Amino acid sequence: MRPLTPLAALAALAALSTVTACGGADTDGDPKGTTNGKGTVTVRIPDPGNAGVLARGKKDGSLDKALAAVGAKVAWTGSAGPFAPAAQAMNADQLDIATGSITSGITSLSQSPGFAFFTATDPDPVGEGILVREGSDIASVRDLVGRKVAVNKGGTGEYLLLKALAQAGIPADKVERVYLRPDQTAAVFNAGQVDAWAVWSTYAVAEIGTGKARFVADGAAIRSDNYSLNAVRSGFAKEHPEIVKALYAYLHENSAKEKKDPAAYLNVFTDAGPTAVTGKARDVQIAFTGKGGTVDPIGPEDIARFETVARFYADQKVTPDRVDIAAHLLDVEKLS
């Protein structure tokens, strides 16, 4: 099993008002996630931006074709970004599908969840980790003692840092966590206001691509269990299991194609501007994706690793109690 390249999360899901404004209703005025007079179900998915499986599917019409076969169509809603606001949007019946990490998923599940996960992709061995600036005297995780490390609270960044410290036998309080939104961290990191940044490929690619940053420890070194998952609003999954299954099949097939030919899934709509990946950053992204994974069903071995993360988060006091992750998983192959 392998990780889906995040739905080209090049822009953050800035506010739930963006999601609400798009609403998911189609031109016939049918409510989101329901059928209209023509029997078409609208599936609300964050806009994928300029890269990834869904971006290509949006451009070439293949996603529309796959969903039309099960009586559905997409309403692109807001933009792909951090999972926490997307989880809130699903809970508020403003979004039907979203992508996130198991780490941010666990923290979101600790708060009256209205969603479940239906796919898993293996932790990224090379695209996530602890980033430092070139020229830094930080040569190992042990060198982080007494330093400031930027993390996103309760999500991938905080997990990666805590897991790296635990692996090295370093108490978590020996390193200062600086809580920042990932889309606000690059400027702080590059200005030297933090010593390191625990981050994933969406943001790491640009930094490594400048030649001015490197991983002091990547996902493989940290032994990360940080899976990428696709989530579905619980009510939608109950009402339209055939659509969830069709979406899984599309993601599974096309994520395998993306792994074989990563370049074809970059700069889908434009090769210029802020959403384009160019120069060395493009080479870095292609290499990361090629070593990444595909979207697969959630299996018993994955659940065991999810539960390890849930216990770790409870032990580290990131969540007040251990989240019962297994209660919020779907066997996509058995949906009907």
Side-chain angles (χ1 to χ4, degrees), residues 49-329:
N50 194 33
V53 166
L54 291 185
R56 181 157 174 171
K58 178 183 179 182
K59 183 177 181 179
D60 66 17
S62 59
L63 180 61
D64 287 337
K65 183 177 179 180
L67 290 179
V70 287
K73 66 178 183 178
V74 176
W76 299 109
T77 305
S79 57
F83 183 70
Q88 293 174 17
M90 286 188 288
N91 291 344
D93 190 16
Q94 297 166 346
L95 191 65
D96 299 311
I97 301 292
T99 298
S101 64
I102 184 61
T103 47
S104 57
I106 285 172
T107 52
S108 295
L109 285 173
S110 67
Q111 307 166 15
S112 303
F115 61 90
F117 295 108
F118 66 101
T119 75
T121 51
D122 279 347
D124 187 346
V126 295
E128 64 178 14
I130 312 297
L131 199 68
V132 298
R133 293 179 297 280
E134 283 292 355
S136 169
D137 62 354
I138 298 173
S140 71
V141 172
R142 289 193 170 277
D143 294 331
L144 295 173
V145 172
R147 308 295 184 104
K148 295 180 178 180
V149 182
V151 302
N152 59 314
K153 187 175 179 62
T156 291
E158 187 162 30
Y159 168 77
L160 290 171
L161 175 61
L162 292 173
K163 185 68 186 293
L165 295 176
Q167 282 286 116
I170 301 169
D173 61 4
K174 297 296 183 182
V175 176
E176 181 180 347
R177 278 169 269 176
V178 179
Y179 293 118
L180 293 169
R181 272 179 26 191
D183 60 322
Q184 297 176 331
T185 306
V188 175
F189 173 73
N190 287 304
Q193 295 174 302
V194 293
D195 301 293
W197 181 7
V199 67
W200 60 103
S201 63
T202 301
Y203 301 95
V205 164
E207 301 305 317
I208 295 172
T210 65
K212 297 179 181 179
R214 58 182 169 81
F215 280 134
V216 71
D218 61 16
I222 294 169
R223 299 183 187 176
S224 171
D225 286 314
N226 187 38
Y227 281 76
S228 175
L229 309 176
N230 279 293
V232 59
R233 183 172 58 82
S234 299
F236 188 92
K238 183 177 180 180
E239 295 165 13
H240 309 293
E242 73 288 349
I243 297 174
V244 178
K245 194 168 184 176
L247 183 58
Y248 155 72
Y250 182 85
L251 294 171
H252 174 72
E253 177 183 352
N254 288 280
S255 62
K257 292 178 181 178
E258 181 185 30
K259 177 180 169 59
K260 291 180 180 178
D261 185 14
Y265 292 80
L266 284 177
N267 303 333
V268 173
F269 290 97
T270 178
D271 57 7
T275 65
V277 183
T278 60
K280 184 180 177 183
R282 182 177 180 275
D283 296 335
V284 171
Q285 182 64 75
I286 288 171
F288 283 176
T289 302
K291 294 177 181 177
T294 58
V295 178
D296 291 306
I298 299 170
E301 72 284 2
D302 306 311
I303 297 173
R305 292 176 73 180
F306 296 170
E307 291 173 340
T308 296
V309 178
R311 285 193 298 272
F312 182 74
Y313 258 26
D315 291 343
Q316 295 287 332
K317 310 301 182 186
V318 176
T319 56
D321 301 294
R322 186 178 69 82
V323 172
D324 182 8
I325 183 72
H328 304 281
L329 303 176

